[in-house]
Amino acid sequence: MQKIVVVGAGHASGQLLDSLRRGGSDAHITLVGEESWLPYQRPPLSKKFLSGELTVERLAFRPKSFYEKHDIHTRLSCRAVSIDRAAQTVSLANGEALDYELLALTTGGRVRKLTVPGAGLTGVHYLRGIDDALGLQADWQGRDKVCVIGGGFVGLEVAASARRLGKNVTVIEMADRLMGRAVSPAMSGYFLGLHTRNGAHVMCSTGVTELVGTHGRVSGIHLSDGREIPADVVVVGIGVLPNQELAREAGLACDNGIMVDEFARTRDPKIVSAGDCTNHPNSLLGRRLRLESVHNALEQAKSAAASLMGEQLVYAQVPWFWSDQYNSKLQMVGLSQGSDFSVQRGNPEEDKFSLFYYRGNALIAIDSVNCPGDHMAGKKLIAAGISPSPGQAADPGFPLKSLL
Ligand SMILES: Cc1cc2nc3c(=O)[nH]c(=O)nc-3n(C[C@H](O)[C@H](O)[C@H](O)COP(=O)(O)OP(=O)(O)OC[C@H]3O[C@@H](n4cnc5c(N)ncnc54)[C@H](O)[C@@H]3O)c2cc1C
C-alpha cells in the first residue's frame, strides 16, 4: 500500500485528507502535527472564540471519528524536524522516522515576533493557534487595559473582540493607516472610524520602542513619539512568516514560501505543498504570490491531493478573504493593489458599501462591507473577466448578476 505522510495539521491538511479519501485514495496516511489538536479552523480564534461565543469543539475541521473512519494515522504534539529526500523519510522530534512514498507539506505560517526590549515579559501574547487563544482568554480575565500592537486583520479582530468584552482597548499601528497592505486608503479610513466609534483608541504612524513591566509582567509601552501608555495585556499581530525551513533544509526551493507549481508540486516529484507556506503561481493574476487565507489553503490542497493521486487539477482562482470586526463583515475578492481608481457602491455611513477597483477598464477587485451580494457577484465577474462599467458598479440599483 502506498505510504503518504502529511506534515502540518491545519486547514490545508484537513482539506487534503478529505480530498484524498473522497478521491478514492486507499493510501496508508500519517498526519504529523506539532499542535495537540486535529486540524481546526483558525478564523474564529480572533473573533467569536476569543469573545467567548464559540467553544473549542466547534473549531474542529472534521470530528475525531473522521480520522478513525478513514484510517488516518495521527502523530500530534509532534514536530517533523527533517526530511531525507533520498531515503524518503521524515524524522520526528520524538526520534521516530516515517517512511513515505509521497509527502505533503502543509506547515502553514508562524507569527512574526516583536524584537523590542521587554518583548518577553509575561502578558505579551500572539495569536496563531487554539493554545494562544486560550492563554489570552485566561490572561485578560480581570484585566482591563488591552494594547494591540499591529493594525492588521488579526490585531483589529482581537481589538473588536476585546471591546465586545468591555475592555479598554488601544491599537498601535506603525503605518499611517490600518490594514495598509491589504486594503485601500478609503477602506482603512472606514475601519478607523468603525473602531473609534466602538470605543477603541487607534494610534497610527506610531511605533513601539520598548515594553516595560513590573515583577516580570508587562505594565506599559514606550512609543516612538516618547509617550508611555499603560497596558495590562499586550497582543502582538505584526504578520506571519511561512514555515518553509523544513523544505529548505531538505533542498527544496523556497522564496517567501515553498516554491510550487500550479498543481501544488515542488520540484521533487514526490513532494507537494499547500496553504500559507507556499509561493505559487496564479495564471489569473499573472504572477507568483504567497497568500494567507482559508480559501487559498482549501483550494490549493485540492490540487495537491489530485497531484498525489496522479491527477492534474490546476489551482488558479481569484483570491478571496473575509474579516469580521464588530458588526461589519469585510469581504474581499481579487487584489486591489495596483488599481488605477475605485468606485463606491452603497453608503459607508450605513455600514453597507462596496469599493470596486479598476485597472484601466478592467474590474480587478471588490472590497465589500456587509454586502454579500456584491461579493458573490464580484467573485463570478472577476473570474469570468467581465467588468461592469464604473457607472453600473456605482449604482446600487444595477443588478450585477445580469452581466453574468
Ligand atoms: C487568528 C486568525 C484569524 C484568521 N482569520 C482569517 C479569516 O477571517 N479569513 C481567512 O481567510 N483566513 C484567516 N486566517 C488565516 C487562515 O487561518 C490561514 O490562512 C490558514 O489557517 C492556513 O492554513 P494552513 O493549513 O496553510 O496553515 P495552518 O492552519 O497554520 O496549519 C499549519 C500547521 O502545521 C503545523 N506545523 C508547522 N510546522 C510543522 C512541523 N515541522 N511539524 C509538524 N507540524 C508543523 C503548525 O503547527 C500548524 O498546526 C486567520 C488566521 C489566524 C491565526
Side-chain angles (χ1 to χ4, degrees), residues 170-203:
T170 303
V171 178
I172 304 162
E173 167 57 50
M174 202 151 68
D176 59 358
R177 61 189 181 90
L178 299 175
M179 301 181 289
R181 281 187 305 135
V183 304
S184 64
M187 196 52 90
S188 295
Y190 166 78
F191 276 93
L192 173 62
L194 180 72
H195 278 269
T196 308
R197 272 201 320 275
N198 280 281
H201 182 209
V202 180
M203 306 162 94

mmCIF file of all heavy atoms in Angstrom, residues 170-203:
data_model
loop_
_atom_site.group_PDB
_atom_site.id
_atom_site.type_symbol
_atom_site.label_atom_id
_atom_site.label_comp_id
_atom_site.label_asym_id
_atom_site.label_seq_id
_atom_site.Cartn_x
_atom_site.Cartn_y
_atom_site.Cartn_z
ATOM 1 N N THR A 170 -6.462 49.840 23.124
ATOM 2 C CA THR A 170 -5.651 50.750 22.302
ATOM 3 C C THR A 170 -5.004 49.929 21.197
ATOM 4 O O THR A 170 -4.466 48.845 21.453
ATOM 5 C CB THR A 170 -4.533 51.407 23.146
ATOM 6 O OG1 THR A 170 -5.145 52.094 24.246
ATOM 7 C CG2 THR A 170 -3.728 52.386 22.329
ATOM 8 N N VAL A 171 -5.074 50.429 19.967
ATOM 9 C CA VAL A 171 -4.401 49.774 18.840
ATOM 10 C C VAL A 171 -3.260 50.676 18.399
ATOM 11 O O VAL A 171 -3.462 51.874 18.172
ATOM 12 C CB VAL A 171 -5.371 49.562 17.654
ATOM 13 C CG1 VAL A 171 -4.639 48.932 16.472
ATOM 14 C CG2 VAL A 171 -6.565 48.707 18.068
ATOM 15 N N ILE A 172 -2.063 50.090 18.290
ATOM 16 C CA ILE A 172 -0.888 50.867 17.871
ATOM 17 C C ILE A 172 -0.423 50.339 16.516
ATOM 18 O O ILE A 172 -0.106 49.144 16.380
ATOM 19 C CB ILE A 172 0.249 50.709 18.907
ATOM 20 C CG1 ILE A 172 -0.250 51.119 20.290
ATOM 21 C CG2 ILE A 172 1.473 51.524 18.508
ATOM 22 C CD1 ILE A 172 0.625 50.609 21.417
ATOM 23 N N GLU A 173 -0.415 51.211 15.522
ATOM 24 C CA GLU A 173 -0.034 50.789 14.167
ATOM 25 C C GLU A 173 1.095 51.693 13.662
ATOM 26 O O GLU A 173 0.985 52.913 13.714
ATOM 27 C CB GLU A 173 -1.256 50.854 13.235
ATOM 28 C CG GLU A 173 -0.961 50.757 11.759
ATOM 29 C CD GLU A 173 -0.200 49.509 11.338
ATOM 30 O OE1 GLU A 173 -0.608 48.396 11.710
ATOM 31 O OE2 GLU A 173 0.817 49.651 10.635
ATOM 32 N N MET A 174 2.140 51.057 13.157
ATOM 33 C CA MET A 174 3.300 51.824 12.708
ATOM 34 C C MET A 174 2.999 52.602 11.422
ATOM 35 O O MET A 174 3.452 53.732 11.244
ATOM 36 C CB MET A 174 4.453 50.866 12.456
ATOM 37 C CG MET A 174 5.796 51.514 12.508
ATOM 38 S SD MET A 174 7.044 50.347 13.022
ATOM 39 C CE MET A 174 7.063 49.255 11.626
ATOM 40 N N ALA A 175 2.246 51.984 10.497
ATOM 41 C CA ALA A 175 1.943 52.651 9.220
ATOM 42 C C ALA A 175 0.933 53.770 9.453
ATOM 43 O O ALA A 175 0.361 53.897 10.534
ATOM 44 C CB ALA A 175 1.392 51.641 8.226
ATOM 45 N N ASP A 176 0.695 54.532 8.400
ATOM 46 C CA ASP A 176 -0.203 55.671 8.591
ATOM 47 C C ASP A 176 -1.676 55.296 8.461
ATOM 48 O O ASP A 176 -2.550 56.155 8.577
ATOM 49 C CB ASP A 176 0.152 56.817 7.622
ATOM 50 C CG ASP A 176 0.065 56.393 6.171
ATOM 51 O OD1 ASP A 176 -0.238 55.205 5.914
ATOM 52 O OD2 ASP A 176 0.305 57.239 5.294
ATOM 53 N N ARG A 177 -1.939 53.999 8.195
ATOM 54 C CA ARG A 177 -3.346 53.593 8.137
ATOM 55 C C ARG A 177 -3.492 52.108 8.475
ATOM 56 O O ARG A 177 -2.509 51.353 8.429
ATOM 57 C CB ARG A 177 -3.942 53.901 6.757
ATOM 58 C CG ARG A 177 -3.282 53.190 5.596
ATOM 59 C CD ARG A 177 -3.813 53.730 4.275
ATOM 60 N NE ARG A 177 -3.237 53.059 3.134
ATOM 61 C CZ ARG A 177 -3.737 51.966 2.555
ATOM 62 N NH1 ARG A 177 -4.830 51.406 3.049
ATOM 63 N NH2 ARG A 177 -3.155 51.428 1.502
ATOM 64 N N LEU A 178 -4.719 51.704 8.790
ATOM 65 C CA LEU A 178 -4.991 50.317 9.200
ATOM 66 C C LEU A 178 -5.047 49.383 7.992
ATOM 67 O O LEU A 178 -5.492 49.775 6.913
ATOM 68 C CB LEU A 178 -6.326 50.253 9.950
ATOM 69 C CG LEU A 178 -6.401 51.087 11.242
ATOM 70 C CD1 LEU A 178 -7.814 51.041 11.829
ATOM 71 C CD2 LEU A 178 -5.381 50.591 12.262
ATOM 72 N N MET A 179 -4.624 48.137 8.194
ATOM 73 C CA MET A 179 -4.670 47.082 7.171
ATOM 74 C C MET A 179 -4.063 47.562 5.854
ATOM 75 O O MET A 179 -4.532 47.216 4.770
ATOM 76 C CB MET A 179 -6.127 46.617 6.938
ATOM 77 C CG MET A 179 -6.782 46.080 8.194
ATOM 78 S SD MET A 179 -8.472 45.514 7.947
ATOM 79 C CE MET A 179 -9.346 47.028 7.695
ATOM 80 N N GLY A 180 -3.026 48.387 5.969
ATOM 81 C CA GLY A 180 -2.487 49.094 4.810
ATOM 82 C C GLY A 180 -1.981 48.197 3.691
ATOM 83 O O GLY A 180 -1.974 48.600 2.536
ATOM 84 N N ARG A 181 -1.539 46.973 4.029
ATOM 85 C CA ARG A 181 -1.002 46.109 2.976
ATOM 86 C C ARG A 181 -2.120 45.467 2.162
ATOM 87 O O ARG A 181 -1.898 44.948 1.078
ATOM 88 C CB ARG A 181 -0.116 45.005 3.576
ATOM 89 C CG ARG A 181 1.289 45.495 3.936
ATOM 90 C CD ARG A 181 2.183 44.365 4.371
ATOM 91 N NE ARG A 181 1.593 43.617 5.473
ATOM 92 C CZ ARG A 181 1.556 42.302 5.559
ATOM 93 N NH1 ARG A 181 2.059 41.560 4.618
ATOM 94 N NH2 ARG A 181 1.007 41.717 6.607
ATOM 95 N N ALA A 182 -3.341 45.477 2.693
ATOM 96 C CA ALA A 182 -4.396 44.698 2.038
ATOM 97 C C ALA A 182 -5.541 45.523 1.473
ATOM 98 O O ALA A 182 -6.177 45.101 0.504
ATOM 99 C CB ALA A 182 -4.965 43.685 3.035
ATOM 100 N N VAL A 183 -5.821 46.660 2.069
ATOM 101 C CA VAL A 183 -6.993 47.406 1.592
ATOM 102 C C VAL A 183 -6.599 48.830 1.178
ATOM 103 O O VAL A 183 -5.499 49.300 1.489
ATOM 104 C CB VAL A 183 -8.129 47.465 2.657
ATOM 105 C CG1 VAL A 183 -8.550 46.079 3.095
ATOM 106 C CG2 VAL A 183 -7.728 48.311 3.857
ATOM 107 N N SER A 184 -7.509 49.493 0.509
ATOM 108 C CA SER A 184 -7.239 50.842 0.001
ATOM 109 C C SER A 184 -7.355 51.859 1.147
ATOM 110 O O SER A 184 -7.952 51.575 2.194
ATOM 111 C CB SER A 184 -8.259 51.186 -1.081
ATOM 112 O OG SER A 184 -9.551 51.220 -0.498
ATOM 113 N N PRO A 185 -6.814 53.067 0.941
ATOM 114 C CA PRO A 185 -6.943 54.104 1.980
ATOM 115 C C PRO A 185 -8.398 54.362 2.370
ATOM 116 O O PRO A 185 -8.702 54.577 3.545
ATOM 117 C CB PRO A 185 -6.315 55.332 1.312
ATOM 118 C CG PRO A 185 -5.315 54.771 0.345
ATOM 119 C CD PRO A 185 -5.941 53.502 -0.177
ATOM 120 N N ALA A 186 -9.312 54.304 1.404
ATOM 121 C CA ALA A 186 -10.724 54.573 1.736
ATOM 122 C C ALA A 186 -11.247 53.507 2.705
ATOM 123 O O ALA A 186 -11.958 53.830 3.675
ATOM 124 C CB ALA A 186 -11.557 54.592 0.457
ATOM 125 N N MET A 187 -10.883 52.248 2.457
ATOM 126 C CA MET A 187 -11.362 51.179 3.350
ATOM 127 C C MET A 187 -10.673 51.289 4.713
ATOM 128 O O MET A 187 -11.306 51.070 5.752
ATOM 129 C CB MET A 187 -11.102 49.814 2.689
ATOM 130 C CG MET A 187 -11.858 48.674 3.306
ATOM 131 S SD MET A 187 -13.642 48.969 3.455
ATOM 132 C CE MET A 187 -14.277 48.353 1.914
ATOM 133 N N SER A 188 -9.389 51.632 4.719
ATOM 134 C CA SER A 188 -8.692 51.845 6.004
ATOM 135 C C SER A 188 -9.411 52.920 6.806
ATOM 136 O O SER A 188 -9.603 52.789 8.021
ATOM 137 C CB SER A 188 -7.251 52.326 5.777
ATOM 138 O OG SER A 188 -6.487 51.353 5.145
ATOM 139 N N GLY A 189 -9.812 53.974 6.120
ATOM 140 C CA GLY A 189 -10.488 55.094 6.791
ATOM 141 C C GLY A 189 -11.805 54.647 7.400
ATOM 142 O O GLY A 189 -12.136 55.027 8.527
ATOM 143 N N TYR A 190 -12.539 53.813 6.672
ATOM 144 C CA TYR A 190 -13.809 53.318 7.195
ATOM 145 C C TYR A 190 -13.559 52.529 8.497
ATOM 146 O O TYR A 190 -14.258 52.724 9.502
ATOM 147 C CB TYR A 190 -14.528 52.426 6.162
ATOM 148 C CG TYR A 190 -15.654 51.649 6.793
ATOM 149 C CD1 TYR A 190 -16.879 52.270 7.059
ATOM 150 C CD2 TYR A 190 -15.479 50.323 7.195
ATOM 151 C CE1 TYR A 190 -17.904 51.576 7.701
ATOM 152 C CE2 TYR A 190 -16.498 49.624 7.832
ATOM 153 C CZ TYR A 190 -17.704 50.252 8.079
ATOM 154 O OH TYR A 190 -18.706 49.574 8.721
ATOM 155 N N PHE A 191 -12.541 51.640 8.478
ATOM 156 C CA PHE A 191 -12.305 50.806 9.667
ATOM 157 C C PHE A 191 -11.742 51.625 10.836
ATOM 158 O O PHE A 191 -12.010 51.293 11.998
ATOM 159 C CB PHE A 191 -11.440 49.584 9.315
ATOM 160 C CG PHE A 191 -12.290 48.470 8.768
ATOM 161 C CD1 PHE A 191 -12.495 48.331 7.405
ATOM 162 C CD2 PHE A 191 -12.953 47.606 9.622
ATOM 163 C CE1 PHE A 191 -13.337 47.333 6.897
ATOM 164 C CE2 PHE A 191 -13.788 46.600 9.135
ATOM 165 C CZ PHE A 191 -13.982 46.475 7.771
ATOM 166 N N LEU A 192 -11.007 52.662 10.533
ATOM 167 C CA LEU A 192 -10.550 53.549 11.616
ATOM 168 C C LEU A 192 -11.776 54.156 12.307
ATOM 169 O O LEU A 192 -11.891 54.154 13.538
ATOM 170 C CB LEU A 192 -9.647 54.658 11.041
ATOM 171 C CG LEU A 192 -9.223 55.750 12.014
ATOM 172 C CD1 LEU A 192 -8.395 55.168 13.159
ATOM 173 C CD2 LEU A 192 -8.420 56.839 11.301
ATOM 174 N N GLY A 193 -12.717 54.634 11.492
ATOM 175 C CA GLY A 193 -13.948 55.213 12.049
ATOM 176 C C GLY A 193 -14.739 54.182 12.843
ATOM 177 O O GLY A 193 -15.257 54.471 13.928
ATOM 178 N N LEU A 194 -14.815 52.971 12.313
ATOM 179 C CA LEU A 194 -15.576 51.905 12.977
ATOM 180 C C LEU A 194 -15.009 51.617 14.366
ATOM 181 O O LEU A 194 -15.747 51.534 15.360
ATOM 182 C CB LEU A 194 -15.532 50.637 12.105
ATOM 183 C CG LEU A 194 -16.261 49.426 12.645
ATOM 184 C CD1 LEU A 194 -17.775 49.616 12.557
ATOM 185 C CD2 LEU A 194 -15.866 48.158 11.873
ATOM 186 N N HIS A 195 -13.679 51.472 14.437
ATOM 187 C CA HIS A 195 -13.060 51.163 15.736
ATOM 188 C C HIS A 195 -13.210 52.331 16.708
ATOM 189 O O HIS A 195 -13.475 52.132 17.890
ATOM 190 C CB HIS A 195 -11.585 50.785 15.538
ATOM 191 C CG HIS A 195 -11.427 49.364 15.125
ATOM 192 N ND1 HIS A 195 -11.262 48.326 16.013
ATOM 193 C CD2 HIS A 195 -11.467 48.786 13.897
ATOM 194 C CE1 HIS A 195 -11.190 47.183 15.360
ATOM 195 N NE2 HIS A 195 -11.314 47.431 14.065
ATOM 196 N N THR A 196 -13.042 53.528 16.177
ATOM 197 C CA THR A 196 -13.149 54.700 17.043
ATOM 198 C C THR A 196 -14.569 54.823 17.592
ATOM 199 O O THR A 196 -14.771 55.033 18.788
ATOM 200 C CB THR A 196 -12.748 55.965 16.247
ATOM 201 O OG1 THR A 196 -11.480 55.721 15.647
ATOM 202 C CG2 THR A 196 -12.639 57.180 17.141
ATOM 203 N N ARG A 197 -15.554 54.619 16.691
ATOM 204 C CA ARG A 197 -16.965 54.686 17.126
ATOM 205 C C ARG A 197 -17.281 53.653 18.191
ATOM 206 O O ARG A 197 -18.119 53.852 19.048
ATOM 207 C CB ARG A 197 -17.883 54.399 15.929
ATOM 208 C CG ARG A 197 -18.239 55.606 15.122
ATOM 209 C CD ARG A 197 -19.502 55.417 14.286
ATOM 210 N NE ARG A 197 -19.736 54.156 13.634
ATOM 211 C CZ ARG A 197 -19.265 53.787 12.438
ATOM 212 N NH1 ARG A 197 -18.471 54.592 11.785
ATOM 213 N NH2 ARG A 197 -19.573 52.619 11.914
ATOM 214 N N ASN A 198 -16.591 52.520 18.101
ATOM 215 C CA ASN A 198 -16.859 51.457 19.065
ATOM 216 C C ASN A 198 -15.983 51.557 20.315
ATOM 217 O O ASN A 198 -15.914 50.610 21.109
ATOM 218 C CB ASN A 198 -16.681 50.094 18.394
ATOM 219 C CG ASN A 198 -17.919 49.728 17.575
ATOM 220 O OD1 ASN A 198 -18.928 49.286 18.113
ATOM 221 N ND2 ASN A 198 -17.853 49.966 16.270
ATOM 222 N N GLY A 199 -15.280 52.665 20.430
ATOM 223 C CA GLY A 199 -14.598 52.937 21.696
ATOM 224 C C GLY A 199 -13.146 52.499 21.779
ATOM 225 O O GLY A 199 -12.547 52.601 22.859
ATOM 226 N N ALA A 200 -12.574 51.993 20.671
ATOM 227 C CA ALA A 200 -11.142 51.651 20.709
ATOM 228 C C ALA A 200 -10.344 52.920 20.412
ATOM 229 O O ALA A 200 -10.796 53.778 19.656
ATOM 230 C CB ALA A 200 -10.822 50.574 19.674
ATOM 231 N N HIS A 201 -9.173 52.996 21.013
ATOM 232 C CA HIS A 201 -8.306 54.147 20.754
ATOM 233 C C HIS A 201 -7.252 53.684 19.747
ATOM 234 O O HIS A 201 -6.475 52.765 20.029
ATOM 235 C CB HIS A 201 -7.663 54.581 22.077
ATOM 236 C CG HIS A 201 -6.785 55.778 21.937
ATOM 237 N ND1 HIS A 201 -5.712 56.016 22.744
ATOM 238 C CD2 HIS A 201 -6.835 56.804 21.067
ATOM 239 C CE1 HIS A 201 -5.129 57.142 22.377
ATOM 240 N NE2 HIS A 201 -5.795 57.628 21.367
ATOM 241 N N VAL A 202 -7.255 54.277 18.556
ATOM 242 C CA VAL A 202 -6.345 53.813 17.498
ATOM 243 C C VAL A 202 -5.266 54.862 17.261
ATOM 244 O O VAL A 202 -5.566 56.045 17.051
ATOM 245 C CB VAL A 202 -7.121 53.554 16.180
ATOM 246 C CG1 VAL A 202 -6.166 53.066 15.103
ATOM 247 C CG2 VAL A 202 -8.245 52.538 16.398
ATOM 248 N N MET A 203 -4.009 54.401 17.304
ATOM 249 C CA MET A 203 -2.875 55.318 17.064
ATOM 250 C C MET A 203 -2.119 54.820 15.839
ATOM 251 O O MET A 203 -1.440 53.797 15.897
ATOM 252 C CB MET A 203 -1.930 55.303 18.274
ATOM 253 C CG MET A 203 -2.621 55.603 19.581
ATOM 254 S SD MET A 203 -1.627 55.090 20.991
ATOM 255 C CE MET A 203 -0.818 56.606 21.328
#
